[in-house]
Amino acid sequence: MVGARRRKQHFSRIHAFSCGKASFRGDHSLIGGPGFSRVVYCNDPECFEASLHNYNDNYVRSTKYTLATFFPKSLFEQFRRAANFYFLICAVLAFTPLSPYSAVSNILPLVVVIGATMGKEAVEDWRRKKQDIEVNNREVKMHQGDGVFEHTKWMDLKVGDIVKVEKDEFFPADLILLSSSYEEAICYVETMNLDGETNLKLKQASDVTSSLHEDSSFQNFKAVIRCEDPNANLYSFVGSLELGDEQHPLSPQQLLLRDSKLRNTDYIFGVVIFTGRDTKVIQNSTEPPSKRSKVEKRMDKIVYFLFAVLVVLSIIGSIFFGIETREDLENGVMTRWYLRPDETTIYYDPKRAAVAAILQFLTALMLYSYLIPISLYVSIEIVKVLQSIFINQDLHMYYEEADKPARARTSNLNEELGQVDTILSDKTGTLTCNSMEFIKCSIAGTSYGHGITEVERALAWRKGSPLAQEVAVVEGQVKEENKEEKPAVKGFNFVDERIMNGNWPNEPHDDVIQKFLRLLAICHTAIPEVDEETGRISYEAESPDEAAFVVAAKELGFEFYERTQTSISLYEFNLSGKKVKRSYDLLNILEFSSSRKRMSVIVRNEEGKLLLLCKGADSVMFERLAKNGQEFAEQTKEHIEEYADAGLRTLVLAYREIDEEEYVKFNEEFTEAKNVVSADREEMIEEVAEKIERDLILLGATAVEDKLQNGVPECIDKLAQAGIKIWVLTGDKMETAINIGFACSLLRQGMKQVVINSETPENKALEKSGDKTAAAAACKASVIQQIAEGKQLLASSNENSEALALIVDGKSLTHALEDDVKDSFLELAIGCASVICCRSSPKQKALVTRLVKTKTGSTTLAIGDGANDVGMLQEADIGVGISGVEGMQAVMSSDIAIAQFRYLERLLLVHGHWCYRRISSMICYFFYKNIAFGFTIFFFEIYASFSGQAVYNDWFLSLYNVFFTSLPVIALGVFDQDVSSRLCLKFPLLYQEGIQNVLFSWLRILAWAFNGVLSATIIFFFCIRAMQHQAFRKGGEVAGLEVLGATMYTCVVWVVNCQMALSITYFTYIQHLFIWGGIILWYIFLMAYGAMDPNISTTAYKVFIEACAPAGSFWLLTLLVLVTSLLPYFAYSAIQIRFFPMYHQMIQWIRSDGQSDDPEYCHIVRQRSLRHTTVGYTARFEAKSRSSEERGEGHR
Amino acid sequence: MTDPNRERYRIRETAFYLFTQQSLPACKPVLTPGWVITIFLFMGLIFIPVGLVTLRASHSVVEIVDRYDIECVPESSRIDKISYIQDDSIPKNCSRFMKVRKYMKAPINIYYQLDNYYQNHRRYVKSRSDKQLLHGRKYHDTSSCQPVELNNGQPIVPCGLIAWSLFNDSFTFIRERAELKVNRKNIAWKSDRDHKFGKNVHPFSFQNGTLIGGGKLYPKIPLSDQEDLIVWMRTSALPSFRKLYGRIEEDLDVDDVIVVNLMNNYNTYSFGGKKKLVLSTSSWLGGKNNFLGHACIIVGCSSLVLAIVFTLLHLKYRR
């Protein structure tokens, strides 16, 4: 027992991140008080005391509704919409005599519309329910008493249950770790679902329970845990374990959170303390902010506008009605005696004409309700869901390697994708793969590795080699890749026969190389995982860089294969080229932190020598070298600069031998520092570490490439051509960011760079002196000054049309985002062609996003892949998550997830453009068709003394929106294409239509509304003039109300459907079916309805068969009205397309002329650009050709 | 799986693929100048002849209109026409002369025309009971007929304002001392006679109230045979309307003078409405109305003009 105890202490010495012993100091005194009242009876959840507490069960519900609440709740949701509420009021009023139509006919469309929306809600909720069922029915082994563990469903877990979780299982609830398969009762946990971090976290149980390794040891286990109440804080926990009479403290170190995963540990035992809704992860889940697109916001305004029109029409109508009703009795004598004004109800009472007018106002509100498109919202929702299905289905956005299609997580924002003005992109994992590749290294002053990086390729181009050379380089690269039929080791792209394949002992300085590689294999925190079948080893590392190092060491002959808590074992080649097994006693790990910028391990080798192995950033490492350890410093520095220029991440490696005495002293201090429980613990540890990490001997430097993803430069180029601004917000350091900027053509030579940097020597000096406020003030002053200088440069560059690039570092950004500076900062940033913010924190990313969004009012799209991008994704108008390697956090908070950055091109230029076009034309058309219909009703009122009699049959009225005109609109919204996807990508400038919102400008909307009024006017007046009072057919019969109604309605159906056919330029069978089908459907309906019993069909009884169809004038009138109504629009669009074509129409011209493959012609159209592009390689090429032209002219 | 099946499966697969990838074969018309000019020309060439044919049809109709509402009130009563029309003791007969200016081929439709009469007023339109018209007194729920629903607790058949305000001027036509035969059958829609007005429904307690509205019905004749009522109950769409009164089944020659003896019973004076008597033949398009023809010609001409203007513009401004 004593031995075991010692080992445990020993272990905690290794892991600096395990925070010492929890003690009863501080927060623990709060236990039992308010907020800390939870009592858990371990292993005895059924006991009397436990039943008093009545904690939540472990059932987790993510559904919005239950069976009981579905109807009330979802109905409430539906009627919160102003338009739906209005229709509800109309439906209620339809039962009163106020109603101009029968109640049933009025309610049916509302029921259909509300039913459809509720159906959609129900389906969505059912999906969530299924997911819930799946989660809640997962099984875990639970203690059933007598030391027997059996599978139990998650939802049946209760507070106090003991569970056994096995390797790679999720924790079913928040648990307190009691023991694990490891002697030391530690376990590794992956918290990707919680915070998106892929590295494993270490947890360790309290000493008192760590010996419970067997199932049977829980037979008589009894304990009481007292702890804090459920809360959302993931990183704090306070509790105590009462075992017998003793109390033991509990800390976050013992807490295992639901939804995290057990890794590298065979099993653990834990006791359930928080269940279901009480768990930290559920307490943490917040509703994602609901986003609405700009188009939809404007649509609301149009609906309100239509409401205003409706009210105005109703007021006009009711005033006239009031006047005419008052005149029905003149001095007690009836004028329109046939209306019996002497014996009337309040609705038509001439004596109380004012009241009658007010009531008539309500009637009119109901009658003209056809101005408001009842089915608009539900149609749009249906359309958007279908659009997102198309996005999800697009094979061009399907990433085969990872089997990941694009996924539109919300369908709300489809059309917003067509209006993006600024893209804010993360760098690592978004522009780059986030798979680090070991590509070069410098050992003992010699540089190894022939690989060519993307950046180098870009650099070669930058240095003025013409296009041909570039192609040659690319081809060369391709050949090279073909030549080496490598078994593609992930993270390793190193080619140099000098040290590969065990050749390194032949190099000069072979001892240094050996040390170098050994250091790579030892100095890390990775964990090896041996595949039992193949024997291959893979590594679980905190960061991809680290994995790259271990892999590189392995590939070069230093294979790390086992880590215990106290040792690291390798297979290594010795100098004579033999493979030997060596293991090193692991004594301490000095963790990496962003302030230290280095990490070290202290090991004892088999010869008993103590070694400190250290790797870190060049800025901190060179100053720590020993005087005699700088042999290769000059060359190494040179190489590092070279590597950085090539866009690589560099680290310097160095080591030191420590004598025993020094180590003992260090170890004491270090242990002490770690066991301190106070705020400056970190600092103390750092201080101690500082003392030992000195006098290092330089070995060399490594360079890993953060590879650009496939197609990123091309994609950025296309997006830039489309006029989208691209900002890069990265946490990386400035040099790396600039290099990547060059690699993806966001920066180019000849572009003036405005660098705002706070890392100036004066600032540093001030900071060192400790006066923080003064330092901050000075820093801010310098930022302001730099911004002002940048602006001057901007003003001068505007004159000679030079492109500027703005590069800001994180600290400057903090000051630049302060309230008084941010406006001028933004002004500068908008003026620049590309903007790169380095060293920015997640919060700063979000702040920048908000700044751009709110101040410029343009649509922003944020794209990122990591948990640090979540803020940005939620803040932006559209958040696009990359479902890459860094966990699902970004995807979970995104609106649309794609697998690769390059899919953004298609997502925006094709789907975005289409969706924008579809939705905006769909809304315009909706308003058109409802205005056209509504105004015919209004015009008729003029001839019916505004009494509220509808010209159409009740069912004609109510089915207009849901039946005869709805399907073509949906077809428009789902299938319409102005330009095929190929041409969308070929002419990226087309995207400007969305950014400038030309398809949904107020002018266009009003023009459509005007067209609607015009159509209504033509339809109505032509019909009443043609069917005036004379006979309308051979037999001499005259047209009554029902004949006129049916005729007018026929005209309306024809006109609105043909208007649709005229305004789209894309007909598949579906369009044909819906448009012409809508018209045919109307005739079928008219016949079917007319054939019903007169009690049902009322005025429509046989109206078509008997009266209309045999009459030549009916058909002639329909044709005439149709042509006349469409003539104005046709003439307008013919002239507009011919003489003032919009961009998409130009492309349609090209296509129909068959010139889309004629490069020159296309170029001419491209030249019609609204502004010239400033970034991307096309721009680079243009800039170059421009300058060479100028040079040529100069010569002449 | 047989071969055709597999083939069909493959086609379905391909179609589905094209559908999900949004690349279904599509017709993508572009409004090229050629098309535009063709369409304009085509419309012009279609509509001008159609308009001419329509106009011709309209011109072939002979129509005689005679407004009689003022002339048929004696000079002495013209100051207060309302009390004249409401005074039952004064005989209301009146004679009008109509001269035939053009040969009229039988059948000649006789219409009465009312102006400023809102048969399309909501209160008026709703004030009827279709079920009572079909089923008679068996049907009790006639609340829609307010205020002409009951008379002394007895249901009125047919109830409602429309029936109550039945037009009751009557006309007889004499040509050269001989009465012209007027056929007053088949003036209503057949569907109305057969399916909306009951064959066994007889008027009951109709026009028995204190306030008499319009015409009376023959109590012995079922509603389905009272075609005047059926015609009247098809409410008009506009405040100025004609209703079929009957048909003269003899040809009328040029310069025939027809004497119309009419009973000027119906009160349009209260609301300033006009009454007219119309004799009209009909063409394949119905009665006389030049509107359709004119509209067609105008649309056709403007299409032609647009075609020319567009062509000129197109030629002048090259792309």
Side-chain angles (χ1 to χ4, degrees), chain B residues 226-240:
Chain B
Q226 310 234 15
E227 295 204 31
D228 277 335
L229 176 75
I230 300 175
V231 167
W232 181 252
M233 289 201 70
R234 278 246 175 167
T235 51
S236 74
L238 300 168
S240 162

Side-chain angles (χ1 to χ4, degrees), chain A residues 97-100 321 324 333-345 348 360 363 390 393-396 906 911 914 918 940 942-945 947-949 974-975 977 980 1021-1022 1024-1044 1064-1070 1072 1094-1095 1098-1099 1101-1103 1106-1107 1112-1113 1116-1117 1119-1120 1123-1124 1127 1130-1131 1133-1135 1137-1139 1148-1149 1151-1153 1161, chain B residues 16-17 19-33 35-36 39-40 43 46-47 50 54 63 82 109 111 113 115-126 130-131 134-135 146-148 161 164-165 186-187 189-192 195-196 211-214 234-244 247 266-268 270-271 282-289 291-292 295-296 299 302-303 306 310 313-315 317-319:
Chain A
L98 276 174
S99 166
F321 175 79
E324 291 191 26
V333 180
M334 293 186 278
T335 52
R336 293 194 289 185
W337 55 268
Y338 51 90
L339 297 176
R340 289 297 292 269
D342 60 324
E343 192 183 334
T344 181
T345 51
Y348 305 98
Q360 173 62 25
T363 306
F390 277 133
Q393 292 281 338
D394 193 335
L395 284 180
H396 290 101
R906 193 175 172 84
H911 288 284
W914 280 348
R918 287 166 182 174
F940 180 74
I942 299 174
Y943 290 84
S945 61
S947 58
Q949 175 59 39
V974 180
F975 303 110
Q977 297 178 7
S980 72
F1021 288 99
F1022 272 48
I1024 67 160
R1025 286 289 291 129
M1027 291 201 166
Q1028 216 172 5
H1029 40 47
Q1030 90 289 359
F1032 76 106
R1033 43 185 265 156
K1034 180 98 177 86
E1037 294 89 346
V1038 293
L1041 184 55
E1042 64 290 322
V1043 173
L1044 184 77
I1064 62 175
T1065 54
Y1066 182 78
F1067 292 90
T1068 61
Y1069 290 123
I1070 301 168
H1072 285 302
N1095 280 328
T1098 61
T1099 59
Y1101 184 63
K1102 291 201 168 166
V1103 75
E1106 187 182 36
S1113 60
L1116 184 61
L1117 181 62
L1119 178 68
L1120 177 72
V1123 169
T1124 318
L1127 199 61
F1130 182 76
S1133 64
I1135 288 171
I1137 289 176
R1138 169 61 184 79
F1139 299 105
Q1148 288 171 351
W1149 278 120
R1151 193 204 59 227
S1152 78
D1153 294 354
Y1161 200 85
Chain B
F16 184 71
Y17 172 81
F19 175 74
T20 57
Q21 297 308 311
Q22 305 192 57
S23 46
L24 282 175
C27 158
K28 300 172 188 171
V30 175
L31 274 184
T32 58
W35 272 108
V36 171
I39 290 171
F40 276 139
M43 286 203 309
I46 289 281
F47 271 99
V50 168
T54 313
E63 190 180 79
I82 298 171
N109 301 310
Y111 303 96
Q113 177 175 346
D115 287 332
N116 200 19
Y117 191 107
Y118 287 89
Q119 258 206 323
N120 57 10
H121 195 283
R122 181 156 70 100
R123 175 171 165 82
Y124 190 80
V125 173
K126 298 263 184 283
D130 286 336
K131 288 202 171 142
L134 192 58
H135 303 295
Q146 280 287 350
V148 190
L161 284 173
W164 175 76
S165 60
N186 288 328
I187 54 174
W189 295 103
K190 188 166 180 303
S191 66
D192 279 2
H195 300 288
K196 285 196 176 171
L211 205 59
I212 310 287
R234 278 246 175 167
T235 51
S236 74
L238 300 168
S240 162
F241 60 90
R242 288 177 189 172
K243 298 236 175 237
L244 199 53
R247 293 188 184 93
Y266 203 69
N267 176 9
T268 56
S270 297
F271 51 88
S282 66
S283 69
W284 63 277
L285 273 177
K288 194 177 195 63
N289 189 344
F291 176 78
L292 262 182
C296 283
V299 167
S302 41
S303 296
L306 279 169
F310 191 86
L313 282 174
H314 175 62
L315 293 176
Y317 299 99
R318 287 242 151 251
R319 263 197 290 159

Side-chain angles (χ1 to χ4, degrees), chain A residues 661-680:
Chain A
E661 234 171 88
E662 191 185 356
Y663 175 71
V664 171
K665 187 159 165 268
F666 159 79
N667 195 23
E668 257 169 39
E669 282 175 20
F670 187 62
T671 317
E672 193 183 321
K674 272 201 312 185
N675 285 344
V676 166
V677 185
S678 71
D680 34 84

Side-chain angles (χ1 to χ4, degrees), chain A residues 445 622 625 629-639 698:
Chain A
F622 279 111
L625 295 183
Q630 306 203 358
E631 200 180 331
F632 322 110
E634 280 311 306
Q635 297 101 303
T636 310
K637 267 186 194 166
E638 241 167 65
H639 290 152
L698 181 66

Side-chain angles (χ1 to χ4, degrees), chain A residues 649-696:
Chain A
R649 294 184 179 207
T650 56
L651 279 183
V652 173
L653 309 191
Y655 81 106
R656 176 186 174 207
E657 286 177 19
I658 314 175
D659 50 48
E660 207 65 41
E661 234 171 88
E662 191 185 356
Y663 175 71
V664 171
K665 187 159 165 268
F666 159 79
N667 195 23
E668 257 169 39
E669 282 175 20
F670 187 62
T671 317
E672 193 183 321
K674 272 201 312 185
N675 285 344
V676 166
V677 185
S678 71
D680 34 84
R681 180 169 156 266
E682 292 291 316
E683 275 175 37
M684 289 173 73
I685 293 175
E686 254 177 55
E687 234 169 73
V688 177
E690 187 98 358
K691 279 185 199 158
I692 198 139
E693 290 170 334
R694 63 185 166 80
D695 294 334
L696 303 172

Side-chain angles (χ1 to χ4, degrees), chain B residues 144-163:
Chain B
S144 61
C145 287
Q146 280 287 350
V148 190
E149 186 191 2
L150 300 170
N151 187 20
N152 298 328
Q154 292 290 320
I156 299 171
V157 181
C159 69
L161 284 173
I162 312 179

